Amino acid sequence: MDTRSTTIEQGARTAFDFTKLDARERYKLMIGTIIPRPIALVTTVDENGNFNAAPFSFFNCLSADPPILAIGVENNPDMSFKDTGHNIRMTEVFTVNIVSHAIAEAMHVCGTKYPRGVDELKQAGLTAMPGEKIAAPWIKEAPAAFECRRHVTLELGKSRQIIMGEILFAHYQPGAVDSALHVDPNVIDAIARLGGDTCSTIRDRFEMFTPKLP
């Protein structure tokens, strides 16, 4: 598409009519702008007991009561389910593993398009640990992991599902959480996705307190 027909000049600004962009153009603008996005390295198990791991940066928490998080899972080009979507549909469970800087390269390996049935965790050198509440494993090397039961799935057109999961159990690395339930961001050391192949860390931080009325 010639994006000149969808670009609107507004003085010094550039604007786009999203109703006239195709899916790929919308995707490029969205992932380059809505940043940083946390990465969920999602582990699942299929109906035959085979493990799968795949990263998703369309991911966030939505609610604490009930404790709900969500991932956006795209289908294959022929609209068939990818392994993560298929496995969650069949087993109703999945685990979200937070990606630290230390396992960033391993996460990237898990994002490779292996044939169905290949264990991405073994390919990446990560350790699958048995779930406490569910059949899907959690990753020993991850700084934190949430075992989830599927809460609801939203079908967005033909190409994507938003899968919401209720957190049933959480795992943390030693020293990540204190007695007051404060999570140490230095221990989590999470990375995030920006646009394209660019990622970022959370190591540069500042405090900004919520203002209060007199």
PDB file of all heavy atoms in Angstrom, residues 3-11 13-17:
ATOM      1  N   THR A   3       1.474   4.403   1.510  1.00  0.00           N
ATOM      2  CA  THR A   3       1.017   5.034   2.746  1.00  0.00           C
ATOM      3  C   THR A   3       0.830   6.532   2.611  1.00  0.00           C
ATOM      4  O   THR A   3       0.289   7.165   3.511  1.00  0.00           O
ATOM      5  CB  THR A   3       2.003   4.744   3.888  1.00  0.00           C
ATOM      6  OG1 THR A   3       3.307   5.191   3.517  1.00  0.00           O
ATOM      7  CG2 THR A   3       2.049   3.251   4.198  1.00  0.00           C
ATOM      8  N   ARG A   4       1.271   7.098   1.483  1.00  0.00           N
ATOM      9  CA  ARG A   4       1.043   8.538   1.303  1.00  0.00           C
ATOM     10  C   ARG A   4      -0.445   8.859   1.293  1.00  0.00           C
ATOM     11  O   ARG A   4      -0.853   9.940   1.699  1.00  0.00           O
ATOM     12  CB  ARG A   4       1.697   9.010   0.002  1.00  0.00           C
ATOM     13  CG  ARG A   4       3.223   9.046   0.061  1.00  0.00           C
ATOM     14  CD  ARG A   4       3.814   9.411  -1.277  1.00  0.00           C
ATOM     15  NE  ARG A   4       3.492   8.389  -2.273  1.00  0.00           N
ATOM     16  CZ  ARG A   4       3.889   8.443  -3.554  1.00  0.00           C
ATOM     17  NH1 ARG A   4       4.590   9.484  -3.981  1.00  0.00           N
ATOM     18  NH2 ARG A   4       3.581   7.482  -4.391  1.00  0.00           N
ATOM     19  N   SER A   5      -1.260   7.904   0.854  1.00  0.00           N
ATOM     20  CA  SER A   5      -2.704   8.144   0.807  1.00  0.00           C
ATOM     21  C   SER A   5      -3.346   8.040   2.178  1.00  0.00           C
ATOM     22  O   SER A   5      -4.490   8.425   2.363  1.00  0.00           O
ATOM     23  CB  SER A   5      -3.367   7.124  -0.137  1.00  0.00           C
ATOM     24  OG  SER A   5      -3.207   5.814   0.366  1.00  0.00           O
ATOM     25  N   THR A   6      -2.601   7.510   3.165  1.00  0.00           N
ATOM     26  CA  THR A   6      -3.142   7.364   4.510  1.00  0.00           C
ATOM     27  C   THR A   6      -2.482   8.302   5.505  1.00  0.00           C
ATOM     28  O   THR A   6      -2.839   8.312   6.671  1.00  0.00           O
ATOM     29  CB  THR A   6      -2.959   5.915   5.003  1.00  0.00           C
ATOM     30  OG1 THR A   6      -1.557   5.635   5.103  1.00  0.00           O
ATOM     31  CG2 THR A   6      -3.595   4.926   4.054  1.00  0.00           C
ATOM     32  N   THR A   7      -1.512   9.079   5.044  1.00  0.00           N
ATOM     33  CA  THR A   7      -0.781   9.980   5.915  1.00  0.00           C
ATOM     34  C   THR A   7      -1.414  11.361   5.872  1.00  0.00           C
ATOM     35  O   THR A   7      -1.708  11.895   4.807  1.00  0.00           O
ATOM     36  CB  THR A   7       0.700  10.084   5.490  1.00  0.00           C
ATOM     37  OG1 THR A   7       1.259   8.771   5.479  1.00  0.00           O
ATOM     38  CG2 THR A   7       1.477  10.960   6.447  1.00  0.00           C
ATOM     39  N   ILE A   8      -1.627  11.935   7.039  1.00  0.00           N
ATOM     40  CA  ILE A   8      -2.248  13.255   7.141  1.00  0.00           C
ATOM     41  C   ILE A   8      -1.257  14.192   7.815  1.00  0.00           C
ATOM     42  O   ILE A   8      -0.828  13.952   8.944  1.00  0.00           O
ATOM     43  CB  ILE A   8      -3.550  13.186   7.971  1.00  0.00           C
ATOM     44  CG1 ILE A   8      -4.513  12.149   7.376  1.00  0.00           C
ATOM     45  CG2 ILE A   8      -4.216  14.553   8.052  1.00  0.00           C
ATOM     46  CD1 ILE A   8      -5.675  11.817   8.291  1.00  0.00           C
ATOM     47  N   GLU A   9      -0.850  15.211   7.134  1.00  0.00           N
ATOM     48  CA  GLU A   9       0.081  16.184   7.716  1.00  0.00           C
ATOM     49  C   GLU A   9      -0.702  17.163   8.597  1.00  0.00           C
ATOM     50  O   GLU A   9      -1.676  17.766   8.163  1.00  0.00           O
ATOM     51  CB  GLU A   9       0.830  16.934   6.617  1.00  0.00           C
ATOM     52  CG  GLU A   9       1.746  16.049   5.778  1.00  0.00           C
ATOM     53  CD  GLU A   9       2.869  15.410   6.586  1.00  0.00           C
ATOM     54  OE1 GLU A   9       3.250  15.972   7.631  1.00  0.00           O
ATOM     55  OE2 GLU A   9       3.357  14.345   6.171  1.00  0.00           O
ATOM     56  N   GLN A  10      -0.274  17.291   9.839  1.00  0.00           N
ATOM     57  CA  GLN A  10      -0.928  18.206  10.784  1.00  0.00           C
ATOM     58  C   GLN A  10       0.130  19.165  11.318  1.00  0.00           C
ATOM     59  O   GLN A  10       0.624  19.006  12.430  1.00  0.00           O
ATOM     60  CB  GLN A  10      -1.579  17.431  11.928  1.00  0.00           C
ATOM     61  CG  GLN A  10      -2.712  16.510  11.500  1.00  0.00           C
ATOM     62  CD  GLN A  10      -3.308  15.762  12.684  1.00  0.00           C
ATOM     63  OE1 GLN A  10      -2.654  15.567  13.694  1.00  0.00           O
ATOM     64  NE2 GLN A  10      -4.557  15.354  12.557  1.00  0.00           N
ATOM     65  N   GLY A  11       0.492  20.128  10.497  1.00  0.00           N
ATOM     66  CA  GLY A  11       1.558  21.033  10.898  1.00  0.00           C
ATOM     67  C   GLY A  11       2.861  20.272  11.001  1.00  0.00           C
ATOM     68  O   GLY A  11       3.320  19.683  10.031  1.00  0.00           O
ATOM     69  N   ARG A  13       3.276  17.633  12.800  1.00  0.00           N
ATOM     70  CA  ARG A  13       2.993  16.238  13.153  1.00  0.00           C
ATOM     71  C   ARG A  13       2.614  15.430  11.924  1.00  0.00           C
ATOM     72  O   ARG A  13       2.197  15.971  10.903  1.00  0.00           O
ATOM     73  CB  ARG A  13       1.848  16.169  14.169  1.00  0.00           C
ATOM     74  CG  ARG A  13       2.149  16.854  15.496  1.00  0.00           C
ATOM     75  CD  ARG A  13       0.908  16.961  16.351  1.00  0.00           C
ATOM     76  NE  ARG A  13       0.371  15.673  16.711  1.00  0.00           N
ATOM     77  CZ  ARG A  13       0.778  14.953  17.768  1.00  0.00           C
ATOM     78  NH1 ARG A  13       1.717  15.438  18.560  1.00  0.00           N
ATOM     79  NH2 ARG A  13       0.246  13.787  18.045  1.00  0.00           N
ATOM     80  N   THR A  14       2.767  14.116  12.042  1.00  0.00           N
ATOM     81  CA  THR A  14       2.316  13.187  11.018  1.00  0.00           C
ATOM     82  C   THR A  14       1.258  12.292  11.617  1.00  0.00           C
ATOM     83  O   THR A  14       1.436  11.772  12.718  1.00  0.00           O
ATOM     84  CB  THR A  14       3.477  12.328  10.492  1.00  0.00           C
ATOM     85  OG1 THR A  14       4.477  13.182   9.944  1.00  0.00           O
ATOM     86  CG2 THR A  14       2.999  11.365   9.419  1.00  0.00           C
ATOM     87  N   ALA A  15       0.136  12.106  10.936  1.00  0.00           N
ATOM     88  CA  ALA A  15      -0.968  11.300  11.447  1.00  0.00           C
ATOM     89  C   ALA A  15      -1.346  10.248  10.419  1.00  0.00           C
ATOM     90  O   ALA A  15      -1.048  10.384   9.229  1.00  0.00           O
ATOM     91  CB  ALA A  15      -2.163  12.193  11.771  1.00  0.00           C
ATOM     92  N   PHE A  16      -1.999   9.188  10.886  1.00  0.00           N
ATOM     93  CA  PHE A  16      -2.392   8.095  10.003  1.00  0.00           C
ATOM     94  C   PHE A  16      -3.853   7.735  10.246  1.00  0.00           C
ATOM     95  O   PHE A  16      -4.308   7.662  11.385  1.00  0.00           O
ATOM     96  CB  PHE A  16      -1.528   6.854  10.255  1.00  0.00           C
ATOM     97  CG  PHE A  16      -0.076   7.049   9.914  1.00  0.00           C
ATOM     98  CD1 PHE A  16       0.808   7.528  10.864  1.00  0.00           C
ATOM     99  CD2 PHE A  16       0.396   6.765   8.641  1.00  0.00           C
ATOM    100  CE1 PHE A  16       2.142   7.717  10.555  1.00  0.00           C
ATOM    101  CE2 PHE A  16       1.725   6.945   8.330  1.00  0.00           C
ATOM    102  CZ  PHE A  16       2.604   7.426   9.282  1.00  0.00           C
ATOM    103  N   ASP A  17      -4.571   7.482   9.179  1.00  0.00           N
ATOM    104  CA  ASP A  17      -5.937   7.005   9.246  1.00  0.00           C
ATOM    105  C   ASP A  17      -5.882   5.483   9.328  1.00  0.00           C
ATOM    106  O   ASP A  17      -5.646   4.804   8.330  1.00  0.00           O
ATOM    107  CB  ASP A  17      -6.706   7.452   8.002  1.00  0.00           C
ATOM    108  CG  ASP A  17      -8.179   7.073   8.059  1.00  0.00           C
ATOM    109  OD1 ASP A  17      -8.541   6.209   8.889  1.00  0.00           O
ATOM    110  OD2 ASP A  17      -8.965   7.616   7.266  1.00  0.00           O
TER     111      ASP A  17
END
